[in-house]
């Protein structure tokens, strides 16, 4: 027995006498969350470095005789001369399903007061995007639950669709609606026991937002039962710019875990304008050369390397990205908006005028586009909503022309009235996404002129009544639309009969 | 200000290169450089000299093994440390000692930016970090 103990003791002695090598440096200057460090001759680009007191930094500038680091965490205790050590590790965040329903910071630490997160795996925050060979075309739909988007600007799994507009035009609302819609679809799909159903998990990254807004978003998701399928990555305005700079990459790493494990995920970056501003601040303090609007030269790469990480992988899952950009006075030709427009696969443009006219969601059909989504659109949506975009464009053109005179022929008047009804039909309150099968039923009714006899101002109420009718009384028909996903003669007849039944019982 | 600092840094680097002989700092050359600086005062001389001092100190640190210890260290141990590390870095190292009771027991050897920690204090710190 004693020999066994001696053996163990020898092993311990061997281990404990082992010298640990560390590469160190000393803080030369520290200001605005950025430290210039002497030494650290072995440090790698983007490596985590350890500061006294547990603070972590990332080496961003490797110069001839100093290293520029951004510090994540509390800098108040750090001072000139403090020793800094390399860790040999790249910044990583916890990933996995354990994060669902939780709010974390840019480093993956919980900030919701619900205790520690039991996550077994970590993923590096910075990762090279999937290459050409492993990618697959976007062919599976991702429904937002917003009729105007799903019917005219469809989004597919693995797509990057930009949401762009001025402040207060409902950009975040569209993103939250989409998350809620995924949760509702997950609940229905998982309950149905369909083995082919693929749930979509969501990640909401809040960058530079007010804490009160983040709390409101979490409450909205919780109220809709969507938080259990969602991870919130919060880097609020009170956080240092380094955290705001890292948060989208952390969110992307969490999303990649779902993608790599054969699952589908949706990530919302709210918003990348503030992300660019945080990066500009860091770059200026690091004394990197500034370019247009004082942004550094690699601000395009900042967003392209982030958004390229969203993809649909062959034999694995997908990561769909909804980046948000805030414009000033509707100027989509500014530096950051044009960058992100060119990186993404389409954009949903929100107009202030529409918003003020109570056309909400304030989607501008003319300026919005989805470059790859149409191949992901299901057949039934194409069948009932294929002509809508053209009809609406015609309506806008005619409406502008009709302002100059009242003598219009019957055909033009008809087109104007139909356009006005479509606009009314697409109005949708916040946080109430409509399932795709219900959208199909309503668009079918629109296509078959069931709303023509209803006064334009009462179309919203009529549509609400129709939704109620279908949800409460035609559940089997809705399930059939969802499962068939195409309109055959039998289904068309059933829909026609249901619409007739609704019309006979509906009084405006 | 930033431009001045950059210029001073560049000049300091030039002076530093002039202070080396066979890849090591030469005291005679350093004296010569200091005399030159005193004679031909460059712009921002304090800034230049501070940057120069930092470069020289870094270089000197690279050829020195500073052995911090808690308890006595024999000359033989010091020589063997200098020999092993000199072989690893490919240059002759001189070992100097400094007593550091905060280590509790063991040694800490510093060569330039690299620190080799084999002390109780170091082990306690890594234990605290892992808990």
């Amino acid at each position: 027995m004693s020999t066994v103990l001696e053996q163990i003791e020898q092993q311990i002695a061997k281990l404990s006498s082992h010298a640990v090598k560390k590469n160190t440096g000393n803080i030369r200057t520290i200001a605005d969350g950025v430290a210039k460090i002497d030494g650290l001759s072995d440090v790698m680009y983007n490596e985590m470095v350890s500061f006294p007191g547990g603070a972590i930094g990332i080496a961003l500038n490797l110069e001839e005789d100093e290293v520029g680091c951004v510090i994540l965490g509390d800098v108040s205790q750090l001072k000139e001369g403090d020793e800094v050590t390399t860790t040999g590790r790249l910044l990583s965040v916890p990933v996995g399903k354990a994060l669902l329903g939780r709010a974390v910071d840019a480093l993956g630490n919980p900030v919701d007061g619900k205790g520690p997160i039991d996550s077994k795996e970590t993923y590096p925050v910075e990762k090279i995007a999937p290459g050409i060979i492993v990618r697959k075309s976007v062919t599976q739909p991702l429904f937002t639950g917003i009729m105007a988007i799903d019917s005219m600007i469809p989004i597919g799994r693995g797509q990057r669709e930009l949401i762009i507009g001025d402040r207060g035009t409902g950009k975040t609302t569209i993103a939250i609606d989409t998350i809620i819609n995924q949760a509702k679809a997950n609940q229905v799909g998982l309950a149905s026991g369909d083995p082919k159903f693929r749930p979509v998990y969501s990640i909401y990254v809040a960058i530079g937002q007010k804490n009160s807004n983040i709390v409101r978003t979490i409450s909205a998701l919780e109220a809709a039962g969507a938080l259990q399928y969602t991870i919130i990555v919060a880097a609020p305005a009170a956080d240092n710019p380094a955290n705001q700079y890292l948060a989208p990459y952390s969110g992307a790493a969490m999303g990649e875990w779902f993608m790599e494990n054969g699952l589908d995920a949706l990530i919302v970056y709210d918003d990348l304008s503030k992300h660019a501003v945080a990066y500009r601040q860091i770059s200026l303090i690091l004394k990197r050369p500034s370019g247009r609007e004082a942004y550094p030269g690699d601000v395009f790469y900042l967003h392209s390397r982030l958004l390229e990480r969203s993809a649909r992988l062959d034999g694995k899952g997908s990561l769909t990205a909804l980046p948000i950009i805030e414009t000033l006075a509707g100027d989509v030709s500014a530096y950051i908006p044009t960058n992100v427009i060119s990186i993404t696969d389409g954009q949903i443009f929100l107009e202030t005028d529409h918003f003020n006219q109570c056309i909400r969601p304030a989607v501008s059909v003319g300026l919005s586009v989805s470059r790859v989504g149409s191949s992901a659109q299901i057949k039934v949506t194409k069948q009932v909503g294929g002509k809508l975009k053209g009809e609406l464009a015609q309506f806008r053109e005619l409406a502008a022309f009709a302002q100059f005179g009242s003598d219009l022929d019957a055909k033009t008047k008809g087109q104007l009235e139909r356009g006005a009804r479509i606009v009314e039909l697409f109005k949708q309150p916040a946080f109430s996404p409509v399932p795709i099968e219900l959208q199909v039923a309503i668009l079918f009714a629109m296509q078959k002129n069931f709303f023509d006899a209803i006064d334009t101002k009462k179309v919203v109420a009529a549509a609400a009544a129709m939704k109620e009718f279908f949800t409460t009384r035609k559940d089997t028909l809705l399930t059939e639309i969802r499962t068939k996903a195409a309109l055959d003669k039998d289904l068309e007849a059933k829909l026609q009969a249901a619409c007739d039944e609704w019309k006979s019982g509906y009084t405006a | 200000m930033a431009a001045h600092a950059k210029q001073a840094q560049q000049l300091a680097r030039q002076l530093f290169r002039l202070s080396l002989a066979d890849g090591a700092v030469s005291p005679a050359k350093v004296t010569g450089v200091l005399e030159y600086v005193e004679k031909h005062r460059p712009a921002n001389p304090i800034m230049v000299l501070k940057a120069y001092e930092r470069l020289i100190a870094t270089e000197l640190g690279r050829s020195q093994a500073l052995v911090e210890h808690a308890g006595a260290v024999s000359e033989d141990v010091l020589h063997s440390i200098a020999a092993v590390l000199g072989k690893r870095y490919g240059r002759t190292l001189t070992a100097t000692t400094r007593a550091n009771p905060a280590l509790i027991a063991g040694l800490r050897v510093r060569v330039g930016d690299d620190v080799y920690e084999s002390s109780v204090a170091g082990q306690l710190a890594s234990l605290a970090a892992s808990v």
Side-chain angles (χ1 to χ4, degrees):
Chain A
M1 185 60 85
S2 61
T3 47
V4 176
L5 288 173
E6 273 169 22
Q7 257 183 333
I8 296 169
E9 274 170 15
Q10 276 172 5
Q11 187 72 22
I12 291 168
K14 227 188 272 176
L15 283 173
S16 59
S17 62
H18 181 73
V20 181
K21 186 191 170 192
K22 293 186 292 183
N23 189 251
T24 62
N26 295 92
I27 298 176
R28 188 197 293 178
T29 60
I30 183 163
D32 303 311
V34 169
K36 296 279 177 69
I37 298 159
D38 276 333
L40 293 183
S41 53
D42 287 351
V43 75
M44 297 178 289
Y45 181 65
N46 263 338
E47 185 183 340
M48 274 164 74
V49 294
S50 171
F51 286 86
I56 288 169
I58 302 170
L60 284 184
N61 265 19
L62 308 186
E63 292 172 29
E64 199 173 341
D65 46 27
E66 69 175 20
V67 175
C69 280
V70 288
I71 303 162
L72 309 159
D74 187 17
V75 294
S76 58
Q77 301 301 314
L78 301 178
K79 57 186 187 303
E80 190 191 338
D82 277 352
E83 191 175 87
V84 185
T85 54
T86 56
T87 60
R89 283 180 290 135
L90 294 174
L91 188 65
S92 303
V93 287
V95 292
K97 282 191 175 179
L99 285 142
L100 291 169
R102 303 298 302 268
V104 296
D105 65 9
L107 300 175
N109 302 314
V111 291
D112 51 6
K114 293 180 184 172
I117 294 170
D118 182 28
S119 176
K120 305 270 184 293
E121 273 184 85
T122 58
Y123 265 30
V125 166
E126 288 275 2
K127 205 175 173 191
I128 302 291
I132 303 162
I133 308 296
V134 293
R135 284 180 190 247
K136 209 175 170 190
S137 306
V138 173
T139 52
Q140 293 173 329
L142 185 131
F143 301 115
T144 62
I146 297 160
M147 285 175 67
I149 296 172
D150 288 341
S151 59
M152 293 185 292
I153 319 146
I155 299 170
R157 294 186 187 194
Q159 188 176 342
R160 293 86 45 93
E161 183 79 5
L162 170 67
I163 303 172
I164 184 167
D166 279 7
R167 62 184 295 275
T169 49
K171 302 182 294 297
T172 304
T173 307
I174 286 183
I176 295 170
D177 272 352
T178 309
I179 293 174
I180 293 173
N181 197 47
Q182 305 319 308
K184 286 188 172 170
N186 289 354
Q187 280 159 0
V188 174
L190 293 171
S192 73
D194 180 4
K196 284 183 184 170
F197 178 74
R198 295 175 64 87
V200 177
Y201 299 96
S202 307
I203 299 134
Y204 178 80
V205 186
I207 312 150
Q209 289 191 38
K210 284 180 270 186
N211 271 320
S212 58
N213 282 355
I214 299 173
V215 169
R216 203 180 305 150
T217 302
I218 294 172
S219 305
L221 292 175
E222 207 159 17
L227 196 61
Q228 56 177 318
Y229 300 104
T230 311
I231 303 168
I232 309 281
V233 182
D239 254 5
N240 61 40
N243 283 36
Q244 291 181 37
Y245 155 66
L246 278 174
Y249 299 101
S250 303
M254 292 167 194
E256 275 167 346
W257 182 87
F258 290 100
M259 181 168 69
E260 295 285 346
N261 286 283
L263 301 164
D264 292 323
L266 162 76
I267 186 161
V268 175
Y269 302 110
D270 193 2
D271 68 67
L272 290 187
S273 312
K274 291 192 183 79
H275 181 235
V277 168
Y279 186 60
R280 174 170 66 183
Q281 189 176 333
I282 291 169
S283 299
L284 290 174
I285 296 167
L286 282 169
K287 297 200 166 48
R288 289 179 175 180
S290 59
R292 185 176 159 188
E293 292 176 30
Y295 287 106
D298 63 342
V299 75
F300 184 91
Y301 181 56
L302 173 83
H303 289 149
S304 64
R305 75 173 192 266
L306 171 71
L307 293 168
E308 276 295 299
R309 288 166 72 174
S310 300
R312 185 174 168 221
L313 298 183
D314 197 7
K316 290 183 180 172
S318 70
L319 180 62
T320 311
L322 291 181
I324 294 177
I325 286 282
E326 188 177 295
T327 52
L328 286 170
D331 183 14
V332 289
S333 63
Y335 191 25
I336 303 301
T338 46
N339 277 357
V340 183
I341 284 172
S342 68
I343 296 163
T344 48
D345 308 308
Q347 71 274 350
I348 296 163
F349 184 74
L350 303 177
E351 278 194 69
T352 313
D353 285 351
H354 281 12
F355 191 85
N356 293 339
Q357 288 162 16
C358 288
I359 302 171
R360 295 172 195 172
V363 178
S364 166
V365 178
L367 290 173
S368 302
V369 67
S370 175
R371 293 189 191 109
V372 293
S374 60
S375 53
Q377 203 171 28
I378 54 171
K379 196 178 174 190
V380 68
T381 327
K382 279 183 190 166
Q383 284 171 311
V384 294
K387 291 177 188 165
L388 278 171
K389 203 169 182 184
E391 280 180 337
L392 261 182
Q394 242 176 5
F395 162 69
R396 296 258 180 254
E397 202 175 312
L398 285 173
F401 184 68
Q403 282 179 339
F404 298 106
S406 57
D407 293 336
L408 300 168
D409 59 281
K411 192 187 168 196
T412 312
K413 270 186 186 172
Q415 278 179 327
L416 281 171
E417 279 182 18
R418 186 172 175 78
R421 283 192 175 82
I422 296 172
V423 170
E424 289 297 309
L425 203 67
F426 281 155
K427 285 183 182 175
Q428 215 173 307
F431 310 139
S432 53
V434 181
I436 192 68
E437 57 273 19
L438 203 50
Q439 289 185 33
V440 168
I442 291 162
L443 291 175
F444 177 84
M446 182 74 215
Q447 194 189 41
K448 298 290 176 188
N449 305 322
F450 277 92
F451 292 102
D452 283 6
I454 297 163
D455 185 47
T456 313
K457 286 178 184 169
K458 292 177 179 169
V459 167
V460 175
M466 185 177 253
K467 282 176 201 165
E468 179 83 17
F469 171 79
F470 271 96
T471 321
T472 53
R473 295 172 62 182
K474 298 289 168 193
D475 195 37
T476 47
L477 181 57
L478 291 177
T479 313
E480 201 177 335
I481 296 170
R482 191 172 61 237
T483 49
K484 276 189 177 172
L487 214 58
D488 54 18
K489 279 185 181 168
D490 173 49
L491 197 56
E492 199 171 333
K494 282 181 187 169
L495 262 173
Q496 181 79 33
C499 288
D500 283 332
E501 192 185 331
W502 168 77
K503 199 181 177 188
S504 61
Y506 179 70
T507 44
Chain B
M1 188 64 190
H4 289 166
K6 210 171 180 181
Q7 279 174 355
Q9 193 68 33
Q10 277 174 350
L11 181 57
R13 268 189 221 127
Q14 279 180 354
L15 296 176
F16 170 71
R17 279 193 284 271
L18 291 171
S19 311
L20 300 178
D22 299 328
V25 176
S26 153
K29 289 203 169 193
V30 170
T31 314
V33 163
L34 291 176
E35 279 171 5
Y36 174 83
V37 172
E38 201 174 356
K39 218 175 198 179
H40 308 87
R41 282 209 156 197
N44 303 303
I46 296 174
M47 216 181 252
V48 173
L49 284 175
K50 276 191 173 173
Y52 175 66
E53 185 191 9
R54 201 163 49 234
L55 291 169
I56 293 286
T58 308
E59 186 57 32
L60 288 175
R62 290 176 65 215
S63 51
Q64 211 176 48
L66 173 64
V67 182
E68 292 178 56
H69 57 91
V73 184
S74 68
E75 280 296 315
D76 289 349
V77 172
L78 277 181
H79 284 305
S80 64
I81 288 172
V84 168
L85 290 175
K87 206 173 170 187
R88 176 174 283 195
Y89 287 97
R91 56 176 176 260
T92 315
L93 296 180
T94 50
T96 50
T97 56
R98 185 199 289 166
N100 185 356
L103 296 179
I104 305 170
L107 296 172
R108 180 188 287 160
V109 185
R110 181 184 289 273
V111 182
D113 298 340
D114 294 336
V115 175
Y116 298 88
E117 180 91 50
S118 181
S119 68
V120 173
Q123 285 175 15
L124 287 174
S126 58
L127 185 70
S130 65
V131 173

